[in-house]
Amino acid sequence: MIKSVCIVGCGWFGLPLAQAMVAQGIRVNGSKRNAENAALLTEHGINGFTLDLSLDEQLEQNQGAIKVALNTDCLVVNIPPSLRKDPDGYLVKLARLKTLINDITYQKIIFISTTGVYPSLEKLMIEKDAVAHSEVSGKLLQAEAMFSALSHSCIARFAGLVGPERHPGRFLAGKTELSQPEAPVNIVHLHDCILAVSKLVFEPSSNGTYNVCAPKHPARQSFYQQAALELGLVAPQFIKESGSGKIISSDRLMKELNFEYQFSDPMDMLVAC
């Protein structure tokens, strides 16, 4: 039974996930990269600790306290890749984290990944369709492999994230001559990400990899034009072009774990961002 959770990375997604866990009576340890921000987590009922996986010196000096904080029933790894800025640094950070947890036995490990592992093909993408189609996707799959090899692990692949401070109306507003007007939109609301990861944490039968993406996929042009108008911004303009794009399937999550999206249609997300 999961009674304690450690969330590595209490940022845009990690913090509200931690708050949701606290609300369920779970003891939550949460990391931030500096001590001041870690201390602020206590205001939310979270046991904050400092963890900067890019600093060897900090890890060596505080290894004891860090390992105590990491020693919970469940571990959620939520580290932004930032692969375009530092393609190799992401894997180095994850390797350091693996070293820190190598003698901890977890009931469940959840690794947050992205649907960026799927190539741009006009087909329905299920979990087994991930392939290293670029340098970035190759690094992402290497990162997943580091944790999928561990016992009791799950990989959660998030589609494009929207929610507070991430309104899709700002993504393409004012842009012109955009391609793929009929390409399906693959996004997910923050609220559903929290529900999905909570499901993976507490459902004993969860295992392997799950896509987390709204099951409805409006056309790119109609969605982003409406999203911009919702904010009173200039709607993006698309060129006339045939062809479509990939659709991310979340059938495994919904069917095997009986998961229900609160925002199944991206159009409904526009008033909740």
Side-chain angles (χ1 to χ4, degrees):
M1 183 176 180
I2 305 293
K3 295 183 179 180
S4 60
V5 174
C6 178
I7 300 175
V8 175
C10 283
W12 185 82
F13 166 69
L15 176 57
L17 173 66
Q19 291 172 307
M21 294 284 180
V22 169
Q24 296 179 63
I26 302 299
R27 177 172 63 82
V28 179
N29 299 339
S31 80
K32 297 291 284 187
R33 293 179 63 185
N34 66 65
E36 182 179 358
N37 289 335
L40 293 175
L41 292 177
T42 59
E43 298 177 3
H44 304 282
I46 303 161
N47 304 311
F49 69 101
T50 307
L51 177 62
D52 189 337
L53 292 165
S54 64
L55 299 177
D56 276 331
E57 184 178 348
Q58 185 210 71
L59 296 179
E60 291 176 5
Q61 292 177 349
N62 303 316
Q63 186 175 115
I66 291 171
K67 295 190 77 165
V68 168
L70 291 168
N71 193 356
T72 52
D73 297 331
C74 173
L75 175 70
V76 178
V77 182
N78 177 48
I79 301 174
S82 300
L83 289 174
R84 288 177 175 81
K85 295 180 181 179
D86 185 10
D88 294 317
Y90 181 51
L91 296 179
V92 170
K93 292 175 185 176
L94 293 177
R96 288 170 177 162
L97 177 61
K98 275 197 72 176
T99 298
L100 288 168
I101 66 170
N102 63 4
D103 57 352
I104 300 174
T105 300
Y106 292 102
Q107 294 180 40
K108 189 67 66 73
I109 297 174
I110 313 295
F111 182 81
I112 307 301
S113 187
T114 166
T115 55
V117 297
Y118 298 110
S120 296
L121 301 176
E122 293 184 20
K123 61 172 288 187
L124 184 71
M125 295 288 177
I126 61 175
E127 285 78 2
K128 69 179 182 63
D129 292 324
V131 63
H133 59 278
S134 65
E135 181 182 6
V136 168
S137 62
K139 299 290 185 185
L140 292 169
L141 288 172
Q142 287 180 58
E144 288 187 4
M146 292 172 67
F147 288 85
S148 63
L150 301 177
S151 299
H152 311 297
S153 66
C154 290
I155 308 297
R157 291 179 181 153
F158 289 171
L161 296 168
V162 301
E165 300 180 6
R166 289 192 183 184
H167 194 291
R170 297 188 179 90
F171 293 175
L172 302 178
K175 295 187 177 181
T176 59
E177 299 187 352
L178 294 170
S179 61
Q180 295 187 296
E182 298 304 315
V185 169
N186 297 289
I187 62 174
V188 63
H189 193 276
L190 170 65
H191 184 63
D192 282 323
C193 291
I194 293 169
L195 293 178
V197 170
S198 297
K199 188 80 168 179
L200 298 182
V201 169
F202 298 113
E203 175 54 61
S205 66
S206 65
N207 69 89
T209 303
Y210 298 87
N211 292 331
V212 185
C213 179
K216 293 186 178 180
H217 309 270
R220 191 164 177 253
Q221 176 173 293
S222 59
F223 175 74
Y224 283 108
Q225 287 183 341
Q226 181 61 38
L229 293 174
E230 289 277 338
L231 296 179
L233 301 175
V234 177
Q237 300 301 311
F238 290 77
I239 60 175
K240 291 184 178 180
E241 183 183 62
S242 60
S244 186
K246 64 188 174 187
I247 294 178
I248 305 299
S249 169
S250 59
D251 282 355
R252 182 176 188 233
L253 178 66
M254 293 188 292
K255 291 179 179 179
E256 293 187 13
L257 300 184
N258 196 30
F259 181 76
E260 295 184 9
Y261 283 87
Q262 299 300 300
F263 297 95
S264 60
D265 188 338
M267 289 296 189
D268 295 335
M269 301 178 194
L270 297 179
V271 296
C273 288

